[in-house]
Amino acid sequence: MLAKPLALAAMAVNLVIVNARVWTGDARRPWADAVAIDGDRIAAVGSSAEIMKRAAGARVIDAKGAMVLPGFTDTHVHFIDGGFRLASVQLRDARTPAEFVARIKAFAATVPEGTWILGGDWDHQNWGGELPTRAWLDSVTPAHPVFVTRLDGHMSVANSLALRLAGVTRDTRDVPGGEIVRDAAGEPAGVLKDNATSLVERVIPPPSDAMNDRALEAAMAYVASHGVTAVHNMGTWDDLATFDRAHAAGRLRTRIHAAVPLATWPRLVERVRARGGTGDAWLRYGALKGFVDGSLGSHTAAMLEPFTDAPGDRGFYVTSNEDRLAAIKAADAAGLQLFIHAIGDRAIREQLDIFARVAAENGPRDRRFRIEHAQHIAPADVPRFAQLGVIASMQPYHAIDDGRWAEKLIGPERAKGTYAFRSLLDAGAKVAFGSDWFVAPPTPLEGIYAAVTRRTLDGAHDPDGWVPQERITVEQALRAYTATAAYAGFDEGQRGVLKAGMLADLVMVDRDLTRVPPAEIREAKVLLTMVGGQVVFER
């Protein structure tokens, strides 16, 4: 019910949305049909008739039956990289080696000689699993250094010019936590995995501040068009400097919770102390991102048993358990939040062990440990997320993407524990959703579709979906993108539900996602996105 109408009448309501299907996310009033906004806050949620009585002078948006939701939070993005990717060579849907090469050739023709060609986001599974090589690139890029990345971000392929500039030769040793793929003669074949990518990355000229600022603007505009009002950035100190500049200039249109590398935790402690806190409603910090392993598609996820298609390979750790434990314990003692990437079942188990040990040794507090991705969980470890209070920060689009080929790598039995959305929720764990953009598109409507249907991109698992027992409901998926996503960043007091006093961050969608057939969810369109009472996207 609409509480205290006289109080609402006294407010300077400046905008109302009426005739909507409002999914509030608030258990006390899950549905309404109108929202009133006062400045950057929600003044009331209730009936259109009641709110219209007090809308004199306010802008009135007639939703005409469209659905209104809390703004989506994407809990795992690489925001600046995503912005840069919008203008880079597009390789994600290249279906053959010939198409892969042709797209790089065409892009090279648009930029001056000597320009580094980066990004790409290729997927070798599109053409059967053969890794690209420097020879593929050399014929079309003799004057452009090329270092294009697989869509998971865990391996990249370089042409000969890039390898030469980086000084990578047959005599270069493998990097701990990485691999230089070599040909039959022992020469670098072009592909570098995980930590080995640093061999080339260190010689790539850094972008200027102006380039980073443009990438941020592009990223904010793009995610707004998909209903995203807040992101958790897995990034660098350069990213944070870019966010700082935008915040100081009043240019932020997306709320940002910025994580920096785990190894730099003392620097983050200094920043928090110097600034007297972890930021404000537009820019938050106080979180650290660490890694256990790599990715499934790169065969660098740390697995309890060998890969099905590579019996001698169980993946590897990107960082040692000992180093990671020491950094996490110290950072946690300083009050910082930990986001740790773990994809393989062995990586997840050992990271849960570390979280349990740190919590026991440092003592009780509201720490909200997170495992990022949590993709391939051993059944015995599913209940440990709830028992330890560890948030599963997951990306549902990966399920319908990786589901095309994952069973070739880990077999059907282990696949039953992949992207275990329902099992985690049934066990009482908190599941927060994101995209991993640039790795996957930052499109929550596609993520909801993926979590609800689990229909893989190739259509091979229609109509029931891949591992269908892990499908969840639309409302469970919505909570993972709204209320639980806000909780995952300590923001549940300000965002994630639509009720009086909360920030006016919301999205309008052209249909009620809870009433359409699940297969139609991905066809829904965002009509309007609002952050802090300001419309940042309107179709």
Side-chain angles (χ1 to χ4, degrees):
M1 296 180 63
L2 187 63
K4 299 182 180 179
L6 292 178
L8 174 59
M11 290 183 177
V13 174
N14 59 286
L15 187 148
V16 297
I17 300 173
V18 296
N19 301 323
R21 279 279 294 169
V22 182
W23 183 84
T24 68
D26 182 0
R28 291 171 294 184
R29 183 174 192 166
W31 292 96
D33 55 44
V35 179
I37 294 166
D38 176 24
D40 68 346
R41 300 275 170 175
I42 295 171
V45 176
S47 72
S48 295
E50 188 63 44
I51 285 180
M52 279 301 293
K53 292 176 182 177
R54 299 164 178 85
R59 177 187 177 188
V60 177
I61 297 176
D62 185 350
K64 299 179 180 179
M67 189 178 199
V68 171
L69 306 155
F72 297 126
T73 295
D74 189 322
T75 61
H76 190 116
V77 298
H78 306 274
F79 210 43
I80 303 299
D81 287 340
F84 276 115
R85 288 307 204 277
L86 294 172
S88 71
V89 61
Q90 305 298 309
L91 301 173
R92 179 183 296 272
D93 59 348
R95 310 307 299 180
T96 66
E99 186 177 0
F100 173 95
V101 172
R103 291 191 185 187
I104 292 176
K105 178 181 180 180
F107 185 83
T110 69
V111 294
E113 290 187 0
T115 302
W116 279 81
I117 298 176
L118 307 169
D121 305 333
W122 49 269
D123 184 0
H124 60 303
Q125 300 295 341
N126 287 346
W127 54 78
E130 179 187 4
L131 289 176
T133 71
R134 59 189 172 94
W136 294 14
L137 306 173
D138 289 348
S139 63
V140 296
T141 54
H144 295 83
V146 179
F147 196 57
V148 287
T149 304
R150 187 180 186 272
L151 56 81
D152 61 6
H154 289 272
M155 62 178 169
S156 301
V157 61
N159 67 353
S160 293
L161 176 55
L163 292 174
R164 185 163 65 252
L165 291 171
V168 177
T169 70
R170 66 178 297 126
D171 298 322
T172 303
R173 295 181 179 180
D174 277 329
V175 176
E179 178 187 354
I180 302 171
V181 176
R182 303 175 191 271
D183 62 21
E187 296 288 344
V191 167
L192 306 177
K193 296 186 178 185
D194 279 300
N195 289 350
T197 61
S198 65
L199 296 171
V200 173
E201 289 167 346
R202 65 191 180 192
V203 301
I204 298 173
S208 66
D209 287 353
M211 292 171 66
N212 282 325
D213 292 345
R214 286 195 296 270
L216 174 59
E217 290 293 330
M220 291 191 294
Y222 189 68
V223 300
S225 72
H226 292 288
V228 174
T229 58
V231 298
H232 295 179
N233 186 65
M234 310 294 143
T236 65
W237 284 93
D238 285 343
D239 291 349
L240 185 51
T242 302
F243 304 148
D244 279 336
R245 286 194 300 275
H247 189 21
R251 290 188 284 105
L252 286 181
R253 303 190 304 281
T254 306
R255 302 190 192 279
I256 298 173
H257 188 48
V260 292
L262 173 60
T264 67
W265 69 265
R267 181 177 174 184
L268 184 57
V269 171
E270 292 177 6
R271 177 184 171 108
V272 171
R273 289 174 179 167
R275 301 198 176 200
T278 57
D280 58 24
W282 281 104
L283 178 58
R284 293 277 307 280
Y285 36 90
L288 296 155
K289 167 72 182 301
F291 287 85
V292 182
D293 60 348
S295 75
L296 187 70
S298 298
H299 282 77
T300 57
M303 306 299 295
L304 293 167
E305 301 296 334
F307 290 102
T308 301
D309 65 336
D313 187 1
R314 293 199 303 157
F316 53 71
Y317 292 129
V318 173
T319 58
S320 73
N321 282 337
E322 294 76 15
D323 290 346
R324 200 176 338 105
L325 169 62
I328 289 173
K329 184 176 180 181
D332 176 74
L336 303 176
Q337 190 181 13
L338 281 305
F339 303 168
I340 307 297
H341 165 122
I343 284 181
D345 50 13
R346 180 164 56 117
I348 292 167
R349 175 169 293 177
E350 297 200 6
Q351 187 54 45
L352 288 170
D353 290 344
I354 286 175
F355 280 156
R357 178 174 171 181
V358 169
E361 293 179 359
N362 283 354
R365 76 175 183 90
D366 185 7
R367 45 179 43 93
R368 304 189 194 182
F369 284 147
R370 290 171 39 166
I371 287 187
E372 304 300 314
H373 310 304
Q375 287 181 3
H376 309 288
I377 310 173
D381 292 321
V382 169
R384 298 181 68 201
F385 280 79
Q387 292 163 4
L388 298 172
V390 174
I391 298 164
S393 172
M394 306 179 78
Q395 300 78 43
Y397 187 92
H398 287 337
I400 63 171
D401 193 357
D402 295 5
R404 297 173 296 136
W405 46 262
E407 289 190 27
K408 291 190 300 184
L409 276 62
I410 59 175
E413 188 60 32
R414 279 186 289 183
K416 294 177 182 177
T418 60
Y419 306 98
F421 310 133
R422 176 164 293 281
S423 293
L424 285 163
L425 289 171
D426 287 349
K430 292 190 179 297
V431 176
F433 279 168
S435 67
D436 203 11
W437 188 46
F438 61 96
V439 176
T443 51
L445 293 175
E446 286 190 285
I448 294 165
Y449 164 85
V452 171
T453 71
R454 296 181 68 102
R455 293 185 178 186
T456 53
L457 298 178
D458 59 5
H461 296 86
D462 292 352
D464 295 330
W466 180 55
V467 195
Q469 63 270 27
E470 293 298 341
R471 294 178 304 193
I472 60 176
T473 70
V474 171
E475 291 198 51
Q476 286 174 323
L478 288 174
R479 279 192 288 275
Y481 272 114
T482 56
T484 309
Y487 174 88
F490 288 92
D491 283 332
E492 72 275 15
Q494 297 200 80
R495 300 188 295 102
V497 298
L498 299 180
K499 64 179 182 180
M502 301 292 274
L503 287 165
D505 296 357
L506 56 81
V507 57
M508 185 188 297
V509 181
D510 68 353
R511 67 201 73 187
D512 183 346
L513 303 178
T514 68
R515 289 181 169 179
V516 300
E520 293 182 14
I521 293 172
R522 70 187 314 182
E523 299 172 10
K525 291 182 171 52
V526 171
L527 301 177
L528 178 145
T529 304
M530 180 181 294
V531 184
Q534 299 296 313
V535 174
V536 296
F537 170 78
E538 194 165 5
R539 188 172 294 277

